[in-house]
Amino acid sequence: MRISIHPRLVEEAVFTALRAAEGRPAAEAASAWLRRRLERGYRLPPGSAWREIRFERVHASLFGRLGLAGALRRLCAAHPFLDAAEGGIRVGPAPGPGREGFDLHERAGPDGRPVRTILGSVLPGTAADPSLLGRR
């Protein structure tokens, strides 16, 4: 199962998770790690593709280190119907509360046959708290 998570959701979930855990030693260490890595990105020219890539990679790395990527993958693995998506699963930020969910979309593939893709919408707060993922 191939899962793609939108960089904006990753970034917002990381900051939400760090704010929620503020004051805890692990969160303080993760915040310090993030600041050091982002500082390197700020040295790159503003508006450059390298700067954007740097920021996305740093947030994605911390998203994984905080266990948020694994929680999202476990949620998807717990729902067998998601395996029907040969086009993969794409998860992005939900437009607002009450708008979270997953939808099956079909499009024509290169050979004309239908390709199914699951498009998901999750709030950053939900992605930031693995205990909420299983309840939605």
Side-chain angles (χ1 to χ4, degrees):
M1 175 181 328
R2 189 176 75 246
I3 303 172
S4 302
I5 306 169
H6 194 280
R8 194 174 98 223
L9 176 61
V10 170
E11 179 182 351
E12 290 178 16
V14 163
F15 285 118
T16 301
L18 291 176
R19 271 193 308 275
E22 217 167 17
R24 295 185 195 145
E28 296 303 319
S31 292
W33 181 90
L34 178 63
R35 280 191 302 276
R36 285 191 308 273
R37 297 306 185 282
L38 291 178
E39 184 59 38
R40 293 179 191 163
Y42 285 118
R43 293 180 195 148
L44 297 170
S48 73
W50 291 111
R51 186 176 187 167
E52 250 345 277
I53 290 168
R54 173 73 184 184
F55 290 153
E56 285 180 13
R57 287 182 179 168
V58 168
H59 290 114
S61 178
L62 192 52
F63 190 78
R65 290 175 61 166
L66 293 172
L68 306 178
L72 198 51
R73 281 186 174 73
R74 284 189 299 279
L75 171 72
C76 291
H79 297 285
F81 77 91
L82 296 178
D83 279 335
E86 56 275 351
I89 301 169
R90 296 179 185 179
V91 184
R99 305 282 305 270
E100 293 178 297
F102 288 84
D103 293 314
L104 177 65
H105 291 265
E106 284 190 3
R107 61 176 168 74
D111 59 358
R113 294 183 3 194
V115 175
R116 294 183 191 113
T117 302
I118 302 287
L119 301 179
S121 296
V122 177
L123 290 170
T126 302
D129 186 351
S131 69
L132 292 177
L133 282 171
R135 289 190 257 150
R136 304 268 168 148

